[in-house]
Structure formats: structure tokens, C-alpha cells
Amino acid sequence: MSTIEERVKKIVIEQLGVKEEEVKPEASFENDLGADSLDTVELVMALEEEFETEIPDEEAEKIRTVQAAIDYINKHSA
Amino acid sequence: MSSSLAGQIALVTGATRGIGKAIAENLVAAGATVVGTATSEKGAATISEYLGQSGTGKTLNVTEPGAIDQLVADVQKEFGKIDILVNNAGITRDNLLMRMKEDEWDQVLETNLTAVFKISKAVMRGMMKNRHGRIINIGSVVGTTGNPGQANYCAAKAGLIGFTKALAKEIASRGVTVNAVAPGFIDTDMTKALTDEQKERIFDTIPAGRLGRPEEIAAAVGFLASAGAAYITGETIHVNGGMSMV
């Protein structure tokens, strides 16, 4: 079983088409990984699917970095 | 016969008869597998019958809560994906505005516009993931010109064009195009309901001097569904015998 961190990173790599070494914890989806607004929405939806959770819009807006995504899932998964 | 849509899955709403049936048959002729929807079991059986090996009919009442998501999930499970969505299902509840009941307004908006939002939303994610998709909305000439007695229908069809443009801009980068086809007066059950007086008035306004055929709408839809139309998005193709030139 992969860790939450590994699963989040895998989704980021798949959704944004970036290399594994680029997906550092502090990397910003929009500024460092080249995501546009639609990419970030798709990313959030992919996270929702993977972790079987629903991320409210106001929370989704705050998920701007790899670490923020990992933190959110850690905090909200059972 | 061209098979440019070979291997593609199309979902056509309101496919029992008229324009919807012609669209389903056009897409099948181009090689697609078609799922056509009808509001009744009987309608779905009719669709399954004329599609034969090339597809299937399913029931869909767009106003029933949850029905749209269920249908889209079923089609994706059975066929693996949806490449082409044709939002064709439509109703009229004509009345001069002074006499129009809220119910007549609500029903037309619900079926002709809100359902398009719901179905498009349900299918677009799969299309975006595949980096390919076609959403084709069937509008109407009256969405642009207006027509007395059809304020509800005109509002819904005009709204459809705005919806088409907005969604086209949102998802063009994912290889999904969103367009509309706006028929003029086409020989279907919907226009058979017009009075002779209405028809005569309409004929005077059509330079081609005749009603259009459902196949002539289907041909425009078939083009927009094809690979050749990949760079056309947010557009409305008017098919109306010259009745209105926008």
C-alpha cells in the first residue's frame, strides 16, 4: 500500500504531465508545474476520486502546492 | 460509406423520431455506435429497433432527479466512453406571454436548457481525460430571431447558444469542441403542430421556399462530429434555407 504522499504525487504527475523530480513538496501547481485553472480543477477532482472524499470549493482554492494537497488529505481521510 | 467515426460512441438525446433519429442514423452511417434516449420504454424500443447492431435505445427523463447521471454512468460502463454528445431532446409549450403559465416556462427551460447543462457536465470529464470529444447542441432559429408565442422556447434556445460559447472556451484546450446547430423550420412532428396560418406566414420568410428535412440538420451535426471540424468551437451553424442570416 502506497503512502498518501506517494498517491498524491502520482496523481500530480499524471494530471499535469510533469516529471517525478519536479514534484517537490513546496512546488506550486500554477507557478512551478505549469497548471492552468482547469488543470487545478481536474487535479482536485482526481484527488476526490482517489481518496473518496469531497473537497469543498473554498478548501480546494487553498490547495496550491503539493504539500498543501498532502496535508489536506492527511487531515481529512479516515 | 465513410467510416470516419469508427470506434466512437455517441449519445443522442430525444432520438425516437424527427431530427434526433436522423442524427442517430447519420452518425451510425459514419461508423459510430449510438445510444439514443427516449422518455418512454416504447420510444427506447423503437430506437433499439432502428439502430439494430449499431447501438441501443435507453429511457431518459431529463427532469427526473439523478436520471442523467445514472444514464451517463450506465453508458460509460457498457461502452467504455462517450465521444460525441448530441443534446437534441426538446419540447415546446407555446403560449403568448400574457397567457403563459409559470409551469409552461419552467418545463421548457428545464428540458431544453437545464438538462443540457446536466448532461454536458456528466460527460465532459471523460472527454477531457481522453483529450477528445464533441458536444453538439441543437438550438433553433427562433433563439436568434424570436417568435411570438414562444418566449419560453426562444429564451431556452438563446441561452443554449451562450452556454455553448462559454463551455467551448472552458474546454477547448482539452480537445473537446462545443457547438450548436440551429435548425429553421424542419418537417417534424413539432412543426406539424403549427396552424396553417402560422405555416403560411413562415413559408413567406424562407427563401428556399420549403421546410427543411431532418437529414439536412443531421448532416451539419455529422460534420461537427467529424475529425475535420476539430478547429471549430463555440460556433452555431444555422440550417434554415436562408430564413435568417446571422
Side-chain angles (χ1 to χ4, degrees), chain B residues 147-180:
Chain B
N147 196 30
Q150 293 197 309
N152 49 3
Y153 189 74
C154 295
K157 294 300 189 181
L160 191 76
I161 292 175
F163 173 84
T164 299
K165 291 176 179 175
L167 184 57
K169 286 188 176 180
E170 286 188 18
I171 59 179
S173 65
R174 299 301 190 271
V176 183
T177 69
V178 189
N179 290 289

Side-chain angles (χ1 to χ4, degrees), chain B residues 14-164:
Chain B
T16 313
R17 54 206 162 96
I19 292 172
K21 182 183 180 189
I23 291 168
E25 289 180 326
N26 180 292
L27 297 175
V28 163
T33 299
V34 173
V35 178
T37 76
T39 48
S40 67
E41 290 284 349
K42 192 168 162 257
T46 305
I47 296 168
S48 288
E49 201 183 318
Y50 79 70
L51 285 174
Q53 297 297 308
S54 309
T56 185
K58 288 188 185 289
T59 55
L60 173 67
N61 179 354
V62 293
T63 59
E64 194 182 305
I68 287 170
D69 286 344
Q70 187 61 52
L71 172 90
V72 169
D74 287 351
V75 174
Q76 279 168 343
K77 198 172 164 211
E78 197 175 333
F79 297 92
K81 58 173 183 168
I82 297 171
D83 300 287
I84 301 160
L85 166 66
V86 183
N87 285 306
N88 169 71
I91 58 165
T92 53
R93 295 285 181 272
D94 296 355
N95 220 337
L96 290 173
L97 198 73
M98 289 188 71
R99 303 284 299 167
M100 189 175 286
K101 289 153 200 74
E102 273 192 36
D103 192 38
E104 291 168 338
W105 173 269
D106 289 343
Q107 282 179 25
V108 167
L109 268 288
E110 180 76 26
T111 297
N112 296 9
L113 187 58
T114 306
V116 172
F117 150 69
K118 288 181 183 169
I119 303 173
S120 301
K121 190 178 170 195
V123 304
M124 62 188 274
R125 190 136 182 253
M127 290 179 175
M128 288 165 71
K129 276 189 178 170
N130 292 338
R131 293 294 190 266
H132 173 266
R134 297 281 189 270
I135 297 176
I136 302 161
N137 300 318
I138 305 304
S140 169
V141 63
V142 303
T144 310
T145 63
N147 196 30
Q150 293 197 309
N152 49 3
Y153 189 74
C154 295
K157 294 300 189 181
L160 191 76
I161 292 175
F163 173 84
T164 299

